[in-house]
Amino acid sequence: MAIMTTTSSPAFQPVLERIAEEMERTPGRPADYIPALAACDPRRFGMAVAELDGTVYGVGDWRVPFSTQSLTKVFTLALDLAREGDALWEHVGREPSGNPFNSLVQLEYEAGIPRNPFINAGALVVTDRLQTRTGDAAGELLAFLRAESGNPALDFDEEVAASESRHGDRNAALAHFMASYGNIDNDVPVLLDQYFRQCSLTASCADLALATGFLARPGIRADGSRLLTRSQAKQVNAVMLTCGTYDAAGEFAYRVGLPGKSGVGGGIVAVVPGRCTLCVWSPGLDERGNSVAGVAALERFTTLTGLSVF
C-alpha cells in the first residue's frame, strides 16, 4: 500500500486548521520529572490524520519529531500479540487500573500480574515477552515503525533513554517485583534497557498517524500483509479505549469517544476503525500525564466530524 502525503483535503484539512486555531491558548506543563523532556515548549501543537490508503493531512507542528514515550506501548503490544496470541493475557490483564501509570499498589494484591499492558508494569511485561521472542524488542519496534510510517530515519534518542535510566528507580522496582512472582523472563537490567530505549523513540504526528493505521484497517499493515487478526485488532483497540489514558480513561472515552493512547511526551494516537487514524502532539500535560491540548483537539475532531465509535 503506497504511503502518500498532502497538505490539503476537502474533508479533514479545514477541520484541522479550525482545531489548531482553537488550541493556541490551551494550558498545561511538560513532564518535568524526566529532565530531557522538561524543556519542551508547552505551546507547541501538531495534529495529523491518516486515511486507510496512507494519505495523511496535518497542521501546525505535525512534521516535528517528539518523544513518543508510552505511545510505543501500542506497537509492542501488537507485535507480541501477533506472535503469542491469547497466551499473552495470562501474564497481563485487560482492566483499567484506576491508579497512576507507575503505581506498585495493585501488583502485590494481584500476584505480580499487571492490570493492563499500558500502565508501566504491564508494558514492562509485554516488552519482556517480546524480548524473549525476538532477542531485540526495541529493534523490532523500530523496524516496524520505520516500515509503517515510511520514514527510515526514525530512531531512538539516546539522551532521553539515558535520562530515563538515571531516573528509572520506580520502573526498576516494578520489574524486580514482578520478577519475584515469576512474571519476568529476562534479566531486569536487560529489560530496563530495552524499555527505556523503546520509550525514547522520536517520531512526528505524521509518522505515528501512519504507523497506527493497521488498527483501523483492521490488522492489515501498510504493505497489505496481515499483522493481527480482526479479533486481535479489536482487542488492542478495546484496551486502548478503556486503558490508554491511564486513570483518565473514562474521561477520555466520554470526551473523545475513540480508542486512544497517550504518552508523557505530549502525544496521543487515536483510531477511527475503518476510517482513519490520528496523532496529536502538545507537551503541556494535565495532572494525570495526558496532553491538555491533545485531548481537547481530539474532542473537537470527533465533535466536528461526527467520527466516533459511539
Side-chain angles (χ1 to χ4, degrees):
M1 182 178 295
I3 293 177
M4 305 184 304
T5 61
T6 182
T7 55
S8 63
S9 165
F12 289 130
Q13 195 64 31
V15 173
L16 295 180
E17 291 171 359
R18 179 174 174 180
I19 291 170
E21 291 176 1
E22 296 178 7
M23 295 302 115
E24 288 182 355
R25 293 178 177 84
T26 307
R29 56 184 298 175
D32 53 10
Y33 63 91
I34 300 175
L37 302 182
C40 292
D41 183 350
R43 296 168 297 182
R44 301 294 295 268
F45 177 84
M47 189 171 185
V49 180
E51 294 183 319
L52 299 185
D53 65 355
T55 305
V56 61
Y57 316 101
V59 70
D61 298 316
W62 68 302
R63 293 290 194 186
V64 176
F66 63 91
S67 186
T68 57
Q69 295 295 311
S70 289
L71 300 186
T72 58
K73 296 174 183 178
V74 171
F75 306 106
T76 52
L77 172 61
L79 289 168
D80 188 72
L81 187 61
R83 285 168 170 77
E84 65 170 322
D86 287 346
L88 169 63
W89 303 119
E90 298 173 12
H91 300 270
V92 62
R94 301 184 295 270
E95 295 293 334
S97 69
N99 286 311
F101 58 83
N102 59 355
S103 174
L104 289 91
V105 172
Q106 289 169 329
L107 280 176
E108 185 167 10
Y109 291 111
E110 298 176 357
I113 304 295
R115 275 290 178 94
N116 66 70
F118 294 148
I119 56 175
N120 287 16
L124 284 163
V125 167
V126 173
T127 298
D128 176 67
R129 299 188 70 75
L130 186 61
Q131 176 69 13
T132 298
R133 281 152 185 77
T134 65
D136 184 6
E140 193 76 13
L141 167 73
L142 181 60
F144 178 80
L145 290 177
R146 284 175 172 175
E148 296 307 291
S149 67
N151 182 1
L154 291 186
D155 213 340
F156 303 114
D157 186 322
E158 298 300 336
E159 179 186 356
V160 172
S163 178
E164 295 205 47
S165 179
R166 287 193 300 269
H167 298 84
D169 291 339
R170 179 66 66 97
N171 285 315
L174 290 166
H176 282 292
F177 193 84
M178 291 185 294
S180 75
Y181 281 94
N183 201 23
I184 295 293
D185 293 334
N186 294 277
D187 291 340
V188 169
V190 172
L191 169 58
L192 292 174
D193 177 69
Q194 290 286 322
Y195 180 73
F196 293 141
R197 283 172 59 77
Q198 165 189 321
C199 292
S200 77
L201 188 139
T202 60
S204 69
C205 292
D207 295 327
L208 291 162
L210 288 166
T212 313
F214 71 98
L215 290 174
R217 279 193 286 267
I220 302 295
R221 296 186 58 170
D223 64 1
S225 64
R226 179 171 289 281
L227 175 69
L228 301 175
T229 67
R230 282 184 168 270
S231 179
Q232 288 172 331
K234 178 190 71 174
Q235 290 170 8
V236 175
N237 280 323
V239 178
M240 287 174 68
L241 180 67
T242 57
C243 308
T245 48
Y246 311 119
D247 50 335
E251 178 73 8
F252 185 83
Y254 174 81
R255 290 181 60 185
V256 176
L258 293 175
K261 180 72 194 82
S262 63
V264 297
I268 306 175
V269 292
V271 181
V272 185
R275 180 63 188 272
C276 64
T277 47
L278 304 96
C279 181
V280 60
W281 171 60
S282 185
L285 308 180
D286 62 21
E287 67 279 1
R288 290 170 170 173
N290 298 312
S291 171
V292 175
V295 174
L298 290 169
E299 180 181 18
R300 289 298 288 149
F301 179 85
T302 55
T303 299
L304 292 170
T305 63
L307 294 174
S308 169
V309 299
F310 299 113

